Amino acid sequence: MSQNLVLNPSFEEYKRCPSIIGNFNHNVTDWNTPNFGSTDYFNACSKDVGETNFFGEQSSRSGNGFAGMYVLAPENYREYVQGQLSRPLIIGDTYTMTFYISLAEKCSHAIRDLGVLFLKEPFKRESDEYINLNKILNEISDSYFVLINSQSHYIEKTGWEKITFEYTAKGFESNFIIGNFDKNSKISKIKMHSTKDPDASYYFIDDVSIEPLHSETISYSESQTIEKDQVLENDKVYTLKNVLYDFDKHELLESSKAELNQLYKYLDANKRLQIEIYGHTDDVGTQKRNDELSLLRAKEVALYLISKGLRPERITATGYGNKFPVADNDSEEGRALNRRVEFKLIFK
């Protein structure tokens, strides 16, 4: 498993090949726009919105897809990209965030004031009053803003410039927004060339990653059940093979509890271990229902362990819906493998 926690990090997966600009919110999988800005999606699959665009020419840094957004424009107009993580960040752990940008060749200015807003829930305001998100920085609970410190302006036009920083997680981060959060009057900018158009700064963005600073490859256990006296490895993802549910239900079956009892005994004997529980579904049903069902199933396991005596602060539960299948969904056997609950033990 890759250590990059950002879903669709290079904008390769899309709902439809772009045919017009400004349609990022409807085209790209696992990404959206948090305001009414019309962020752009480019992909080599398109003749109209491919590598030649309204600001010149640009090819992706990797793959075929990339995004573009205004970070300086008249009337404090801003565009942003909002991404999501495969799991929340772990409180106290340090992560490296990296992304790459390239200045559009025909825009008038370059800036250096980019930031990242980390969030527990995705942000969406139903008013164009919040077209510039600097107004919300002190309004949202469970959020944290990072202003990226740069000693120079981002002036690279032909290649891609790397932006990276380290971040210590607060423990709620599941989503993030990249862009410029300042007013025009406060932005540090330099003029690149004269143009008859209003002052503007526009950047392409690609290859976004958030990775644990000390990352290890995660492997899956081949164990079918948790056996008595079995030694479980830290940072290895295990599948609870005997934790089963009725169709479209999240209540534990009685036959599932023996394996969970063994898991509880192991955690009770190893009190410095914390556990992350991951719920998954097959692709039958709507995405919304699958996301809900996978979380309910993970929480049901967590609640059972708590009922046995495990302290709640040692447990986190996350639902991934049908995002991470381990088999194809074309057969009942494959769908059965995808309907699963996994866990990982973390030494604290």
Side-chain angles (χ1 to χ4, degrees):
M1 291 180 63
S2 169
Q3 290 295 300
N4 187 2
L5 303 179
V6 177
L7 298 178
N8 193 14
S10 301
F11 310 104
E12 295 303 301
E13 299 175 26
Y14 55 84
K15 302 167 189 174
R16 58 185 67 88
C17 184
S19 58
I20 59 174
I21 63 170
N23 218 18
F24 179 90
N25 203 37
H26 302 288
N27 280 341
V28 190
T29 303
D30 297 316
W31 291 83
N32 58 63
T33 56
N35 65 347
F36 282 94
S38 55
T39 302
D40 303 305
Y41 179 53
F42 304 96
N43 196 297
C45 67
S46 174
K47 294 182 180 179
D48 300 312
V49 196
E51 296 183 351
T52 300
N53 56 71
F54 57 99
F55 259 133
E57 292 188 4
Q58 182 67 46
S59 58
S60 62
R61 181 178 177 273
S62 66
N64 294 317
F66 58 102
M69 58 187 180
Y70 279 102
V71 296
L72 167 69
E75 302 298 325
N76 294 311
Y77 172 81
R78 296 289 182 273
E79 294 173 351
Y80 304 88
V81 292
Q82 180 167 233
Q84 55 183 308
L85 304 179
S86 60
R87 61 174 173 82
L89 302 187
I90 300 171
I91 186 170
D93 282 8
T94 301
Y95 298 81
T96 301
M97 182 168 191
T98 303
F99 58 93
Y100 293 81
I101 62 171
S102 183
L103 179 65
E105 58 194 62
K106 291 184 180 179
C107 61
S108 63
H109 286 75
I111 74 162
R112 68 180 183 190
D113 304 290
L114 292 177
V116 178
L117 180 63
F118 291 96
L119 301 159
K120 181 177 182 179
E121 303 289 343
F123 178 82
K124 183 67 178 177
R125 279 291 173 96
E126 301 298 330
S127 168
D128 58 7
E129 176 187 359
Y130 292 92
I131 200 76
N132 186 327
L133 296 187
N134 73 305
K135 296 183 179 181
I136 70 168
L137 292 182
N138 296 319
E139 295 182 10
I140 308 176
S141 59
D142 292 330
S143 68
Y144 191 87
F145 178 68
V146 175
L147 179 63
I148 301 169
N149 293 319
S150 175
Q151 300 303 312
S152 59
H153 297 80
Y154 303 116
I155 61 173
E156 177 61 47
K157 290 184 177 181
T158 57
W160 290 86
E161 188 167 357
K162 181 180 180 179
I163 298 177
T164 187
F165 62 92
E166 292 182 5
Y167 174 73
T168 301
K170 312 301 181 251
F172 59 79
E173 299 89 340
S174 297
N175 299 265
F176 61 91
I177 300 171
I178 302 174
N180 180 275
F181 293 79
D182 257 331
K183 297 179 180 179
N184 289 349
S185 59
K186 294 184 177 181
I187 294 175
S188 175
K189 56 185 181 292
I190 57 173
K191 194 163 188 175
M192 300 299 292
H193 64 82
S194 298
T195 174
K196 295 180 181 179
D197 297 321
D199 290 350
S201 185
Y202 185 97
Y203 287 89
F204 304 105
I205 181 171
D206 202 359
D207 292 338
V208 184
S209 68
I210 297 178
E211 300 185 1
L213 182 61
H214 304 291
S215 61
E216 297 179 1
T217 301
I218 299 173
S219 59
Y220 281 91
S221 167
E222 298 298 327
S223 172
Q224 295 298 304
T225 61
I226 301 172
E227 304 293 347
K228 184 178 179 181
D229 300 325
Q230 179 182 355
V231 177
L232 301 176
E233 297 181 34
N234 299 343
D235 287 329
K236 176 177 282 189
V237 176
Y238 290 86
T239 300
L240 291 163
K241 295 293 184 180
N242 289 329
V243 174
L244 306 171
Y245 304 88
D246 286 331
F247 176 73
D248 202 36
K249 302 292 184 183
H250 66 272
E251 293 81 10
L252 284 171
L253 299 179
E254 196 64 32
S255 58
S256 303
K257 296 179 180 179
E259 188 173 10
L260 293 180
N261 289 340
Q262 290 293 340
L263 177 58
Y264 167 73
K265 289 178 182 178
Y266 189 86
L267 289 164
D268 189 49
N270 297 272
K271 297 188 182 299
R272 295 192 66 185
L273 288 176
Q274 295 186 355
I275 182 171
E276 295 181 354
I277 301 169
Y278 316 128
H280 302 270
T281 68
D282 58 30
D283 67 350
V284 177
T286 66
Q287 184 69 60
K288 180 179 179 181
R289 175 55 180 163
N290 285 333
D291 289 345
E292 174 187 66
L293 187 60
S294 64
L295 179 58
L296 287 172
R297 288 175 173 176
K299 285 185 174 180
E300 193 76 7
V301 171
L303 289 172
Y304 183 81
L305 294 174
I306 291 170
S307 74
K308 300 293 291 183
L310 195 66
R311 295 176 65 86
E313 57 266 29
R314 294 177 63 188
I315 308 174
T316 60
T318 305
Y320 291 129
N322 58 10
K323 290 186 177 72
F324 301 106
V326 293
D328 66 66
N329 281 294
D330 296 330
S331 66
E332 178 51 41
E333 292 79 7
R335 290 191 292 272
L337 290 173
N338 292 330
R339 295 192 297 267
R340 68 198 190 278
V341 174
E342 300 168 334
F343 71 90
K344 182 171 71 172
L345 301 179
I346 300 169
F347 183 79
K348 289 293 185 178

